[in-house]
Amino acid sequence: MGKRGRACVVVLGDLGRSPRMQYHALSLARQASLQVDIVASGGSIPHEAVLNHPSIHIHTMAQPRFINLLPKILYPVTLLLKAFIQFTMLLWFLFVKVPAPDVFLVQNPPSVPTLIAVKWASSWRRAAFVVDWHNFGYTLLALSLGRNNVFVSLYRWFERRYGEMATGSLCVTKAMQHELEQNWGVSARVLYDQPPEFFRHTLLEERHELFCRVKKDLCHPIGVYDIISRELENQELNETLFTTKVNDETSLKQNRPALVVSSTSWTPDENFGILLEAAVMYDRRVAARSEGTDTAEQHLYPNLLFIITGKGPEKEMYEEKIKRLNLKHVAFRTMWLLAEDYPLLLGSADLGVCLHTSSSGLDLPMKVVDMFGCGLPVCSVSYSCIQELVKDGQNGLLFSSSSELADQLLILFKGFPGNCDALMSLKAGAMETGSSGRWATEWEDCAKPLITQVVSQNAD
């Protein structure tokens, strides 16, 4: 593919938190047999498959930290200064430091200055220019500045202008494909997110080892001594919160709490307050039942442990809110996992919760794709195109309010762990969804033909 046998993947952000672009790099190396240069910002550690591949070379751009120290009143100036510094760094890497590729593949958003820099570099180095549309950058900027802000309008103009100049485009949903074609003049192919091979159901032994590794994180509650803290205090050496190991035989505990996982970027487009309110409602209803005289009713619903993974600006604010909840049957833990441990956690959980609403209403949450890859059913916030992924009542449930989510938790966990038919039905649907498509197959069918075509056209 191409005379130079090389591709450049551009991510103006944390590569470790950009799984789709990591998967692109792996596919370009494995399935297109290209040398791959990744130009990205520093931050989280990428997956070991990316780090260890001999054909993938990561070039890290240093982040100008002093910009974050500027006062909020200078936010518009900060945006311009940050964009200028990033633009200069991108030009240095793309024009000089990285070997000339056959194709540049760039993540959007962010759009400014990324699309401009990559377009200029592709023209200078006579390479194809492919944009992978994950969302619209101007809609994310509008979350903080407002839709009518002049910077948002200017950002949208640059995004549209340089997006039109791409020699090829990929996008994440049919809804986004329609929007690009009808209102932006961009013809894009849909490349649905699919889980790679390392997202799968976690074996019992792997679960036991994982929970042994994260036991220290589970021991430390967010501000209060809770139900999980008490359980961990009374554990034997051969057991974890969820598993026990006797004579090299690992089994799940019958009295274990239900494990609910949610991955979040702690940003305004994910209203984490919905989950907190639902947790309080679940806790109060279970507490009311446990205080009754009916013994069967007292043990009908399990304690819940919510493990929330991810980094982001609103994390500390919500941790302060969690401290004040005073829950009896629900506990929260926040943590950041290694890239290799995250799939193991999803494959060990009982339910996933997704609070992503999309600033544009046109993208899909990759976290749900990962959950389905591990056979994990999902309760997700309902919005315009989410049903392209979550089939309500088949592989998950959709909710629009905290009370709906609380009702779903009660329905799904009634009789846990042995007699929760509703949860088991959704789990079967999630496993079917996860096994029906994998990233390598989707990339081979959708992305590879486009990249081959634009590289060939550019070489002519």
Side-chain angles (χ1 to χ4, degrees):
M1 184 189 289
K3 297 178 180 178
R4 299 163 180 162
R6 203 166 199 102
C8 181
V9 175
V10 183
V11 183
L12 192 59
D14 186 341
L15 178 62
R17 296 169 65 186
S18 304
R20 181 175 168 104
M21 301 311 289
Q22 293 184 61
Y23 304 159
H24 270 303
L26 284 169
S27 290
L28 286 164
R30 292 172 175 174
Q31 296 168 247
S33 301
L34 296 176
Q35 292 292 315
V36 181
D37 295 291
I38 303 177
V39 175
S41 304
S44 309
I45 300 172
H47 197 278
E48 62 179 9
V50 175
L51 294 173
N52 296 335
H53 200 289
S55 298
I56 297 177
H57 319 279
I58 300 174
H59 308 264
T60 303
M61 297 184 293
Q63 292 300 295
R65 295 183 179 180
F66 75 92
I67 290 179
N68 297 326
L69 302 177
L70 295 176
K72 290 185 178 180
I73 195 171
L74 297 177
Y75 185 63
V77 177
T78 302
L79 283 178
L80 292 174
L81 182 59
K82 184 177 181 180
F84 175 76
I85 294 173
Q86 290 175 331
F87 183 61
T88 305
M89 293 177 65
L90 276 171
L91 292 181
W92 165 251
F93 276 85
L94 302 183
F95 274 71
V96 181
K97 194 165 185 180
V98 172
D102 295 295
V103 59
F104 285 100
L105 175 61
V106 57
Q107 169 186 296
N108 184 73
S111 316
V112 178
T114 326
L115 297 185
I116 305 167
V118 176
K119 172 55 186 172
W120 288 11
S122 67
S123 298
W124 177 258
R125 310 197 83 167
R126 298 181 180 179
F129 168 33
V130 176
V131 178
D132 189 19
W133 297 82
H134 298 192
N135 201 346
F136 292 112
Y138 81 93
T139 64
L140 291 171
L141 187 61
L143 289 175
S144 55
L145 297 182
R147 287 262 179 172
N148 297 322
N149 186 279
V150 64
F151 283 100
V152 175
S153 300
L154 187 62
Y155 197 103
R156 186 181 188 278
W157 184 87
F158 274 107
E159 186 170 21
R160 179 171 179 174
R161 173 67 176 153
Y162 281 88
E164 288 176 330
M165 295 181 183
T167 43
S169 291
L170 298 165
C171 65
V172 295
T173 64
K174 290 180 180 177
M176 184 175 287
Q177 180 188 45
H178 182 265
E179 173 68 16
L180 285 167
E181 186 172 354
Q182 294 297 312
N183 299 319
W184 290 59
V186 173
S187 177
R189 292 192 188 184
V190 178
L191 174 65
Y192 280 120
D193 285 321
Q194 297 286 3
E197 69 280 0
F198 38 80
F199 282 91
R200 54 173 177 76
H201 187 66
T202 306
L203 301 176
L204 274 177
E205 184 63 31
E206 292 174 319
R207 292 192 198 192
H208 186 77
E209 292 173 359
L210 171 67
F211 293 128
C212 286
R213 287 198 298 275
V214 301
K215 188 172 183 178
K216 187 180 296 185
D217 297 303
L218 295 176
C219 285
H220 296 287
I222 302 174
V224 293
Y225 185 76
D226 58 23
I227 186 68
I228 299 302
S229 307
R230 287 192 290 274
E231 287 193 34
L232 288 169
E233 276 186 352
N234 301 317
Q235 279 187 1
E236 302 291 336
L237 288 175
N238 64 340
E239 64 178 332
T240 71
L241 192 61
F242 303 94
T243 59
T244 184
K245 189 171 184 178
V246 179
N247 298 326
D248 293 329
E249 289 290 328
T250 303
S251 58
L252 288 171
K253 291 181 175 179
Q254 287 302 303
N255 62 342
R256 67 186 183 275
L259 176 57
V260 184
V261 175
S262 184
S263 175
T264 178
S265 54
W266 303 100
T267 51
D269 65 342
E270 294 187 352
N271 183 1
F272 194 74
I274 292 178
L275 181 56
L276 297 190
E277 291 170 7
V280 170
M281 293 178 195
Y282 178 94
D283 188 76
R284 287 176 179 171
R285 294 182 201 177
V286 174
R289 290 175 183 272
S290 64
E291 291 169 2
T293 56
D294 190 331
T295 307
E297 283 282 303
Q298 291 177 3
H299 302 286
L300 195 58
Y301 295 96
N303 295 325
L304 298 186
L305 172 60
F306 287 91
I307 294 183
I308 316 299
T309 69
K311 299 177 181 178
E314 296 188 345
K315 180 181 177 182
E316 290 183 3
M317 178 187 76
Y318 279 112
E319 285 183 333
E320 286 300 315
K321 290 185 177 183
I322 292 170
K323 290 178 184 178
R324 299 192 293 268
L325 292 181
N326 191 28
L327 302 171
K328 296 179 180 179
H329 298 278
V330 177
F332 283 87
R333 297 292 185 271
T334 59
M335 60 180 69
W336 176 257
L337 295 168
L338 293 173
E340 292 73 41
D341 280 344
Y342 179 61
L344 295 177
L345 176 66
L346 295 186
S348 304
D350 301 298
L351 182 70
V353 173
C354 176
L355 302 166
H356 178 82
T357 54
S358 174
S359 60
S360 65
L362 299 172
D363 69 317
L364 293 173
M366 191 163 190
K367 67 194 78 177
V368 173
V369 174
D370 295 338
M371 290 173 181
F372 287 160
C374 295
L376 182 64
V378 176
C379 290
S380 173
V381 171
S382 180
Y383 64 93
S384 55
C385 68
I386 189 64
Q387 292 190 37
E388 288 189 41
L389 179 60
V390 180
K391 311 300 180 185
D392 195 25
Q394 297 180 31
N395 54 19
L397 297 174
L398 300 175
F399 61 88
S400 300
S401 66
S402 55
S403 59
E404 277 190 78
L405 176 56
D407 289 341
Q408 291 171 0
L409 293 174
L410 287 162
I411 291 169
L412 294 177
F413 287 119
K414 183 178 181 180
F416 182 89
N419 298 300
C420 42
D421 293 342
L423 181 63
M424 291 300 102
S425 175
L426 292 184
K427 187 173 183 64
M431 293 185 72
E432 183 178 350
T433 301
S435 62
S436 64
R438 288 285 165 173
W439 171 265
T441 304
E442 185 80 4
W443 196 90
E444 187 78 23
D445 293 341
C446 302
K448 187 177 180 179
L450 173 68
I451 292 172
T452 302
Q453 177 185 341
V454 298
V455 167
S456 176
Q457 290 173 347
N458 192 70
D460 293 340

